[in-house]
Amino acid sequence: MINKAKGTLRRTASGLRVRLIQLLPRRIPIAFKLALVMTLLLVLGMTSLGLFISDNQNRLIRTQLHEFGNTMALQLAKLAGEPILSENSLNLRMLTTNLGQDEKILGAGIYSRDGELLSATGIQPDLTGSPFQTGGVISRPWFRNAADGSQERLLSFIAPATYLDVQVGSVIVTLSASQMDQAATSARDAIIYATLAMTVLASLLAYWLSRRLSLPIHHLMKATQAIDRGDLATRIDQQRNDEIGYLFEGFNNMAAGLLRKSQVEQVFSRYVSKNVADKVLANLDEVRLVDRPIEATVLFADITGFTAMSEKLQPSQVSELLNEYFSYISQACSMYGGVVDKFIGDCAMLAFGVLEDDTDHAFHAVSCAVLIQQLAARLNEQRRANGRPEVHFRIGINCGAMLAGNLGSDERMEYTVVGDAVNLASRLCSEAQSNQIIIQKKMFTMLEPRIIARSERTLAVRGKSAPVGIYSVQDIHRNDQAQLRANLQKVLNSRPHQQRRQAVAHV
């Protein structure tokens, strides 16, 4: 039972702790922190100063009270010595009466040597025990009940009365220590109120000052958030000649550097595949990508009759035509997970299953080729309607083992694939007719359930002992036609980006 109660208490405490943490703000503004620190320092300073002043004030009041009591007691003892010895009661009464007229003195008494009260005025202390003082003045605190029922603290000063250096009696002067306490309390209260008022004013001043000091940091935070949102053109237009000014200058330089870097990345990704660009930019310390053997598929798409077509067009029109079709080919390639290896004149080289694992790279390459041919057919309808020459592609595809890596020198290199399978794909492209997609028999056997193709002929390839059987791809199976039509419509609905119209084809 006890263990169960302890477990319940622990869970309750844990729940309260979690709720308390949730109530706390995630971020505390630096202006609040500065204001809090400055206020604490000011409060600590004002409190220390107030305590110091209050202690000095109390000490001064006590010193003044003791000095006054000692002076009055010594003066009364000096005047009472002879009347005590001569037993002149009239003079003794005059002494106590005159002293009692002072508002600060609550009582005065003159005693004989044997402790008999000779004359008194006001209140007297209880002199149980020996009241006589043979040396200097002594002070004796005591209390009495006031009219309002409270305890009033009194202070009696006892001094010996002498005549010709012989002690003949004693005198007592009683003062109110409560008045001293009230004065000390009043002084303390005044100091407390003044300290509180100064603390409030100091807190407001500290908050205002901290806001002023943290305002540049707030500007820097806003600018940093804008950079995080992608607004790399953000700048802090403030001139300062202090450390924050250097910080602003450094931020502006950093933002300018990020903008330049972003522009370089955008331009770089236009000249190489985005996947290649991402891998290179992710590891700038080691630019060279690792060469590795892979199983992949390569597609070559070449414009038939391009030489004759280019002779009838202006150079700017040739460039515009290539950029337009290469842009469409790039979109079609990315839809099936491929990458643009390079553009060679009017020929595009695409690779599938190179940078990312793709077990279905061969089928994706054939689907991309069918998409390119259907896209060209749809675009030719528009070109015929506009009286422009038609563009036809011949495509060769092959899959197999190849080496993916960098070729070139330290000054210039490119990421590509090389090998016998790549060379065969290029040869198949050159053997294809207009609007034809050519693959070898091995690839057809692998994709036969998913593609529609017919046998063409055998092709003697230099370096190979046996001729290669080639097939012409007509279409893909109807199970994948829906995705093909959707991709075709997506490409047709898009338009080449204006920046791509300025891209330079690799020759």
Side-chain angles (χ1 to χ4, degrees):
M1 186 68 180
I2 296 176
N3 292 334
K4 184 176 180 181
K6 289 182 178 180
T8 303
L9 289 175
R10 282 196 297 268
R11 288 192 296 271
T12 303
S14 178
L16 291 175
R17 190 182 305 111
V18 171
R19 284 194 290 270
L20 180 60
I21 293 175
Q22 292 175 348
L23 291 175
L24 293 176
R26 295 181 59 185
R27 293 185 179 90
I28 301 177
I30 192 171
F32 178 80
K33 294 179 181 179
L34 287 174
L36 181 61
V37 171
M38 296 174 67
T39 301
L40 290 177
L41 292 176
L42 289 171
V43 168
L44 181 61
M46 291 296 298
T47 302
S48 300
L49 180 61
L51 292 175
F52 177 75
I53 294 175
S54 177
D55 183 67
N56 285 344
Q57 185 76 10
N58 293 338
R59 189 181 299 111
L60 178 62
I61 293 175
R62 287 195 300 269
T63 300
Q64 291 177 347
L65 182 65
H66 280 80
E67 288 180 352
F68 179 75
N70 289 341
T71 301
M72 292 296 101
L74 290 174
Q75 184 177 3
L76 179 60
K78 181 178 180 181
L79 296 175
E82 183 178 354
I84 292 174
L85 186 63
S86 62
E87 297 181 354
N88 190 341
S89 58
L90 180 61
N91 286 342
L92 295 176
R93 283 195 299 273
M94 289 180 60
L95 290 174
T96 55
T97 301
N98 291 337
L99 198 61
Q101 293 177 355
D102 193 329
E103 296 180 354
K104 297 179 182 179
I105 300 175
L106 300 182
I110 302 175
Y111 294 83
S112 64
R113 184 177 178 81
D114 56 3
E116 180 185 357
L117 179 61
L118 301 178
S119 178
T121 183
I123 59 177
Q124 299 296 316
D126 183 9
L127 297 178
T128 302
S130 176
F132 303 114
Q133 176 66 16
T134 59
V137 181
I138 63 171
S139 60
R140 180 179 177 184
W142 56 288
F143 294 88
R144 72 163 182 172
N145 294 324
D148 57 358
S150 61
Q151 290 284 324
E152 181 181 9
R153 193 167 73 92
L154 303 176
L155 194 60
S156 295
F157 295 88
I158 305 174
T162 60
Y163 184 77
L164 297 179
D165 297 333
V166 177
Q167 181 174 351
V168 295
S170 298
V171 300
I172 297 177
V173 176
T174 301
L175 306 178
S176 174
S178 295
Q179 294 179 358
M180 177 189 69
D181 296 338
Q182 292 175 0
T185 301
S186 299
R188 182 192 62 200
D189 292 342
I191 292 172
I192 290 175
Y193 293 143
T195 302
L196 291 176
M198 291 298 297
T199 299
V200 173
L201 293 177
S203 300
L204 296 177
L205 178 62
Y207 183 74
W208 176 81
L209 184 60
S210 62
R211 286 292 301 272
R212 294 287 297 176
L213 291 176
S214 63
L215 189 60
I217 301 177
H218 183 72
H219 292 328
L220 183 62
M221 181 188 70
K222 290 293 186 183
T224 304
Q225 291 175 345
I227 292 290
D228 186 58
R229 292 193 301 268
D231 185 7
L232 301 181
T234 300
R235 300 292 185 273
I236 301 178
D237 298 327
Q238 292 189 20
Q239 300 294 329
R240 299 175 64 101
N241 58 352
D242 54 9
E243 292 83 356
I244 296 180
Y246 285 108
L247 186 61
F248 285 170
E249 183 179 357
F251 174 84
N252 290 335
N253 293 336
M254 180 200 70
L258 290 175
L259 180 60
R260 287 193 297 270
K261 179 177 179 294
S262 177
Q263 293 170 344
V264 169
E265 290 178 356
Q266 292 176 3
V267 173
F268 183 52
S269 63
R270 289 169 53 192
Y271 283 87
V272 299
S273 169
K274 183 179 183 302
N275 293 335
V276 175
D278 291 341
K279 288 183 178 296
V280 171
L281 294 173
N283 188 17
L284 294 176
D285 294 334
E286 182 56 54
V287 175
R288 184 178 296 274
L289 299 177
V290 178
D291 298 339
R292 60 190 180 96
I294 59 172
E295 285 285 336
T297 302
V298 177
L299 180 155
F300 284 90
D302 190 13
I303 299 177
T304 57
F306 178 75
T307 302
M309 184 188 304
S310 61
E311 291 176 352
K312 301 176 184 180
L313 300 175
Q314 297 293 329
S316 60
Q317 294 175 320
V318 174
S319 174
E320 182 179 353
L321 183 145
L322 289 176
N323 290 335
E324 178 184 0
Y325 275 87
F326 285 162
S327 177
Y328 284 128
I329 290 175
S330 296
Q331 294 181 57
C333 178
S334 63
M335 287 180 176
Y336 288 99
V339 295
V340 177
D341 188 291
K342 62 174 68 67
F343 297 117
I344 312 170
D346 62 325
C347 179
M349 176 181 173
L350 312 181
F352 296 82
V354 175
L355 292 175
E356 297 179 358
D357 293 334
D358 183 5
T359 57
D360 207 15
H361 52 80
F363 178 73
H364 288 159
V366 173
S367 299
C368 179
V370 174
L371 176 59
I372 293 173
Q373 295 291 24
Q374 293 187 6
L375 177 63
R378 295 286 292 272
L379 293 176
N380 283 333
E381 294 176 2
Q382 300 176 7
R383 295 181 71 85
R384 283 194 300 269
N386 297 330
R388 300 168 63 189
E390 298 181 14
V391 177
H392 301 275
F393 285 91
R394 55 183 181 179
I395 299 175
I397 308 174
N398 190 37
C399 65
M402 57 192 71
L403 183 67
N406 281 296
L407 291 179
S409 64
D410 292 338
E411 290 76 19
R412 178 179 173 82
M413 62 180 63
E414 65 175 346
Y415 187 80
T416 186
V417 288
V418 293
D420 182 67
V422 179
N423 296 334
L424 181 56
S426 178
R427 177 66 185 277
L428 293 177
C429 179
S430 63
E431 291 294 329
Q433 301 298 318
S434 178
N435 300 325
Q436 192 175 31
I437 303 171
I438 295 297
I439 62 174
Q440 68 163 316
K441 182 178 180 181
K442 175 183 175 182
M443 190 171 177
F444 169 74
T445 303
M446 181 173 58
L447 299 177
E448 183 176 2
R450 305 177 66 183
I451 65 174
I452 302 173
R454 69 170 183 267
S455 176
E456 288 288 334
R457 62 187 186 277
T458 58
L459 176 66
V461 180
R462 196 170 87 181
K464 290 185 178 293
S465 58
V468 176
I470 58 175
Y471 281 73
S472 174
V473 177
Q474 307 301 312
D475 207 340
I476 61 176
H477 197 273
R478 61 176 178 272
N479 293 340
D480 298 297
Q481 284 290 333
Q483 183 63 45
L484 178 66
R485 288 193 296 270
N487 290 339
L488 176 62
Q489 194 61 41
K490 187 182 298 183
V491 175
L492 289 173
N493 290 337
S494 66
R495 286 294 180 265
H497 197 278
Q498 294 298 325
Q499 292 181 348
R500 291 191 178 272
R501 298 173 66 89
Q502 302 172 1
V504 178
H506 291 280
V507 179

